[in-house]
Amino acid sequence: MNIGIFDSGIGGMTLLHQALVMLPDESYIFYADTDNAPYGTKSREQVIALVDDVMRFMTMHDCKAVVIACNTATAAAAEIMRQKYPVPIIGIEPAVKPAIKESHGKRVIVAATPLTVREEKLQNLVRRVDDTHLVDLLALPRLVEFAERGEFVSDGVEQYLRNAFSPYRLEDYAELVLGCTHFNYFKDTFRKILPVNVHMIDGSEGTIRQLVHVLEHKKQLERNGGNNREFDARVKYFSSGRELKGEQELAYIRKLHERLEKMREL
Ligand code: DGL
């Protein structure tokens, strides 16, 4: 059986990448809903309908668990999908709690899409864990556009981010939460702009740990000694329902994995 991992686009590969490292013996369906990206500037109702379509696809493709590798889709639709589909659904959320813990009393910026920032799920999470009001929420919608067109390092990206951070006194901050999976592609530019004391954190490792926990509990974990470490050997890639098989498409996916591997070190 497969593990389904999906996002509006290439951001979800952050979780696929993490899953391949932690669970190298599983088979994966990776689904990027590129025809409908971005999700983060859509309404809640639109995102629920799109996620429902992807969930139907996943259940038809023999998935034993589905990872919503999109903070926006998790915020808008995870609960509703859990009521509708019997398959375990694991959703990524901005790593607000660990960020507050690590910040030792300094401030925290949670960067995400406009819909995630608006959604009650994130607002409730912040209310629950931020008793001393250290958290600021920042919507960065354009990063998803940059990522989807493969523009990871450019003057445009740097200018956009410098502008977005200009209202903040960055020396007061200790943590930047990458609350959208697309943002991981830009860690080198974030690193360039942020003072060294600001650490970046995202929820991908915690989410895959949760996936491991769920599969272990259901006795559905595949383990055969990590012989399948080849990154794309056990993944089928789909772009809004169309399987990616072309030489060029797969070469681009390999480049994305390479970029994510580099970004993991920052
Ligand atoms: N990658 C998604 C997230 O984690 C959203 C990107 C989008 O706006 O489509 O929130």
Side-chain angles (χ1 to χ4, degrees):
M1 289 182 91
N2 300 302
I3 294 173
I5 299 184
F6 80 92
D7 181 27
S8 62
I10 62 170
M13 281 185 56
T14 317
L15 278 112
L16 171 65
H17 195 84
Q18 186 71 39
L20 286 164
V21 172
M22 290 168 67
L23 294 172
D25 302 317
E26 298 286 350
S27 301
Y28 297 89
I29 302 270
F30 180 76
Y31 187 110
D33 194 10
T34 36
D35 287 357
N36 298 302
Y39 281 3
T41 49
K42 292 190 165 53
S43 72
R44 177 168 207 261
E45 291 65 33
Q46 284 172 311
V47 171
I48 292 170
L50 293 168
V51 172
D52 197 14
D53 286 346
V54 183
M55 282 303 303
R56 214 167 312 128
F57 178 93
M58 292 299 191
T59 50
M60 278 159 45
H61 283 77
D62 201 25
C63 288
K64 59 183 174 184
V66 176
V67 178
I68 305 182
C70 175
N71 294 265
T72 311
T74 302
E79 267 332 302
I80 296 170
M81 296 305 134
R82 285 190 186 111
Q83 283 161 28
K84 186 162 178 184
Y85 296 93
V87 65
I89 297 174
I90 297 100
I92 189 166
E93 274 192 284
V96 182
K97 201 174 170 185
I100 291 180
K101 197 165 157 233
E102 297 288 314
S103 75
H104 301 293
K106 292 191 88 178
R107 301 196 65 78
V108 171
I109 299 180
V110 180
T113 66
L115 182 55
T116 305
V117 165
R118 268 200 325 268
E119 270 302 308
E120 228 168 275
K121 196 166 167 67
L122 178 59
Q123 309 259 350
N124 284 343
L125 173 65
V126 171
R127 259 196 295 278
R128 226 172 35 242
V129 298
D130 182 25
D131 2 308
T132 47
H133 306 293
L134 294 172
V135 171
D136 292 309
L137 301 180
L138 170 65
L140 291 174
R142 285 198 57 205
L143 275 195
V144 178
E145 295 167 27
F146 282 120
E148 286 300 317
R149 59 172 186 262
E151 185 176 338
F152 301 122
V153 182
S154 71
D155 289 347
V157 168
E158 187 173 334
Q159 224 22 66
Y160 174 64
L161 288 180
R162 283 197 188 280
N163 219 21
F165 285 119
S166 62
Y168 299 89
R169 269 176 36 139
L170 291 173
E171 60 275 24
D172 296 344
Y173 290 80
E175 298 287 325
L176 169 67
V177 178
L178 303 176
C180 166
T181 50
H182 282 74
F183 296 177
N184 290 69
Y185 288 98
F186 303 95
K187 282 174 92 176
D188 44 2
T189 305
F190 280 121
R191 194 61 286 155
K192 189 170 167 190
I193 291 173
L194 297 170
V196 280
N197 52 293
V198 181
H199 170 248
M200 290 177 276
I201 185 167
D202 77 280
S204 47
E205 197 179 325
T207 308
I208 300 303
R209 250 189 275 120
Q210 178 65 15
L211 169 68
V212 173
H213 178 78
V214 168
L215 292 178
E216 230 158 26
H217 186 73
K218 297 190 79 191
K219 303 206 180 338
Q220 284 188 325
L221 212 53
E222 284 299 328
R223 278 204 170 123
N224 64 29
N227 292 324
N228 298 310
R229 280 193 173 269
E230 251 328 281
F231 264 167
D232 43 11
R234 308 211 101 196
V235 189
K236 280 190 173 171
Y237 294 92
F238 290 85
S239 167
S240 298
R242 181 178 69 85
E243 188 172 355
L244 303 179
K245 287 180 169 165
E247 200 51 44
Q248 266 190 349
E249 292 170 325
L250 295 175
Y252 185 59
I253 287 167
R254 267 193 297 277
K255 270 178 79 171
L256 294 176
H257 276 298
E258 278 162 27
R259 173 136 191 98
L260 288 172
E261 187 57 31
K262 234 168 90 187
M263 295 301 102
R264 264 162 66 87
E265 289 153 17
L266 298 178

